[in-house]
């Protein structure tokens, strides 16, 4: 499996362009505009590229079980910035869900026959951020924050000649992270936001009832990098585009006896999700 770098390259290229433009075009305006911008609700359409791989010899061994492809969905988010004893307190809450099919390449327990087929997939994510905004230069605001979130991925493999049962696997994890937003008002109607965060997964688990597998997985690093570009079309209305790259890992689970009598465990895995979004905000 190629190490799924196309989404990462696209997002990091956008981040580099953001930093160059921000440094060249920022103008003096004031703190109130960015503080007001951070009070909004948004709705977005998501086109998401997913890359998932498992390997028995981490971190650099060959992938033997992979899922990849594009899925679509939506995201709703609310953010606010208020001064209540502390200046420019920031919070952000988001909920997203994507659905579709991914291309699975791998095999099934107890068989040496390779398996390649489409799998139904659904991903649900909830994210929370709490931080404080600081004006660092002219129209630039830096918002350090702590983040917490929840991720669920359900994938289903239909019955076939090589897999004579319906196999559903559900992966869940929480995460905790530290990050920052760097927001720049380039012009009076154009705002860009750079988001970088690093943390770890918390209590990752897998459940595969058909084979009797339900176990905890090892917590591993969690990373995110993203950029948003917003254009205000009215006093309270804005449209935006964004690209966000998220990468996280799960450690291998313990060996257990499965329903079919074979000894098995969930191996080390890595997931990369690149979300491309377009949507609208309402500023309040």
């Amino acid at each position: 499996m190629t190490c799924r770098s196309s989404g990462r390259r696209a997002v990091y290229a956008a981040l580099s362009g953001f930093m160059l433009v921000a440094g060249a075009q920022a103008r003096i305006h004031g703190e109130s505009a960015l503080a007001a911008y951070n009070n909004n609700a948004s709705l977005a359409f998501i086109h998401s590229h997913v890359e998932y791989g498992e390997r028995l010899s981490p971190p650099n061994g060959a992938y033997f079980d992979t899922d990849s492809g594009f899925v679509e969905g939506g995201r709703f988010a609310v953010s606010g910035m208020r001064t209540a004893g502390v200046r420019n307190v920031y919070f952000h809450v988001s909920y997203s869900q994507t659905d579709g099919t991914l291309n699975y390449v791998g095999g099934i327990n107890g068989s040496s026959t390779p398996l390649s087929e489409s799998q139904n997939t659904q991903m649900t994510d909830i994210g929370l951020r709490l931080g404080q905004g600081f004006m660092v230069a002219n129209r630039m605001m830096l918002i350090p924050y702590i983040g917490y979130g929840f991720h669920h991925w359900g994938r289903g493999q239909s019955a076939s000649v090589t897999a004579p049962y319906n196999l559903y696997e559900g992966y869940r994890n929480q995460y905790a992270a530290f990050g920052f937003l760097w927001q720049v008002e380039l012009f009076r109607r154009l705002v860009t936001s750079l988001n970088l965060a690093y943390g770890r997964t918390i209590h990752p688990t897998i459940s595969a009832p058909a084979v009797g597998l339900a176990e905890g997985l090892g917590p591993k690093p969690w990373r995110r990098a993203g950029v948003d570009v917003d254009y205000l079309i009215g006093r309270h209305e804005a449209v935006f585009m964004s690209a966000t790259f998220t990468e996280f890992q799960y450690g291998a689970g313990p060996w257990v006896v499965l329903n079919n009598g074979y000894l098995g465990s969930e191996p080390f895995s890595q997931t990369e999700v690149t979300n491309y979004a377009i949507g609208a905000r309402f500023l309040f």
Side-chain angles (χ1 to χ4, degrees):
M1 179 182 182
T2 58
C3 188
R4 303 169 309 277
S5 61
S6 59
R8 181 188 302 164
R9 287 198 301 267
V11 172
Y12 287 167
L15 298 182
S16 299
F18 163 85
M19 296 174 72
L20 290 173
V21 173
Q25 300 201 42
R27 299 288 187 269
I28 297 175
H29 185 238
E31 182 176 357
S32 59
L34 286 174
Y37 162 78
N38 280 305
N39 294 288
N40 68 75
S42 65
L43 188 64
F45 167 77
I46 302 175
H47 186 62
S48 181
H49 184 249
V50 180
E51 293 281 2
Y52 169 84
E54 299 175 352
R55 47 190 171 195
L56 291 176
S57 54
N60 300 315
Y63 288 97
F64 69 91
D65 187 358
T66 66
D67 278 273
S68 63
F70 285 92
V71 292
E72 285 76 35
R75 181 181 66 219
F76 175 74
V78 176
S79 68
M81 181 165 281
R82 293 286 189 269
T83 296
V86 178
R87 190 176 185 84
N88 292 339
V89 175
Y90 167 82
F91 70 89
H92 182 273
V93 181
S94 65
Y95 173 87
S96 67
Q97 182 172 303
T98 54
D99 301 86
T101 59
L102 299 176
N103 182 43
Y104 170 79
V105 178
I108 60 171
N109 294 307
S111 173
S112 60
T113 303
L115 178 64
S116 178
E117 64 180 16
S118 295
Q119 287 192 343
N120 297 325
T121 195
Q122 182 181 87
M123 288 189 173
T124 302
D125 289 273
I126 299 172
L128 307 172
R129 301 178 200 155
L130 180 63
Q132 183 178 8
F134 301 91
M135 294 301 293
V136 293
N138 298 332
R139 295 183 179 185
M140 298 182 186
M141 178 178 281
L142 183 67
I143 308 175
Y145 68 84
I146 54 174
Y148 173 82
F150 169 81
H151 171 77
H152 174 255
W153 175 34
R155 62 174 180 172
Q157 179 178 306
S158 301
S160 65
V161 175
T162 54
Y165 50 79
N166 289 314
L167 177 60
Y168 170 85
E169 293 180 326
Y171 296 83
R172 296 174 183 265
N173 71 270
Q174 302 167 58
Y175 68 85
F178 173 79
F180 69 85
L181 286 171
W182 182 30
Q183 297 178 332
V184 180
E185 187 187 7
L186 296 177
F187 308 103
R188 287 190 178 274
R189 291 185 176 272
L190 189 65
V191 176
T192 58
S193 300
L194 166 67
N195 179 26
L196 297 174
Y198 179 84
R200 289 182 71 84
T201 56
I202 302 172
H203 301 309
T205 63
I206 179 177
S207 175
V211 296
L213 181 64
E215 61 182 8
L217 306 174
K220 290 289 183 179
W222 179 99
R223 306 175 182 91
R224 175 167 290 167
V227 62
D228 287 46
V229 179
D230 287 63
Y231 181 75
L232 280 72
I233 59 176
R235 184 175 180 181
H236 297 286
E237 302 83 25
V239 292
F240 69 91
M241 295 185 298
S242 69
T244 304
F245 174 79
T246 304
E247 176 189 76
F248 56 92
Q249 302 169 343
Y250 296 146
W255 289 92
V256 295
V257 178
L258 305 178
N259 288 346
N260 56 13
Y262 288 92
L263 189 67
S265 76
E266 181 69 9
F268 171 92
S269 66
Q270 181 169 312
T271 303
E272 296 181 2
V273 181
T274 306
N275 286 331
Y276 304 97
I278 183 170
R281 298 190 200 277
F282 178 78
L283 281 61
F284 52 82

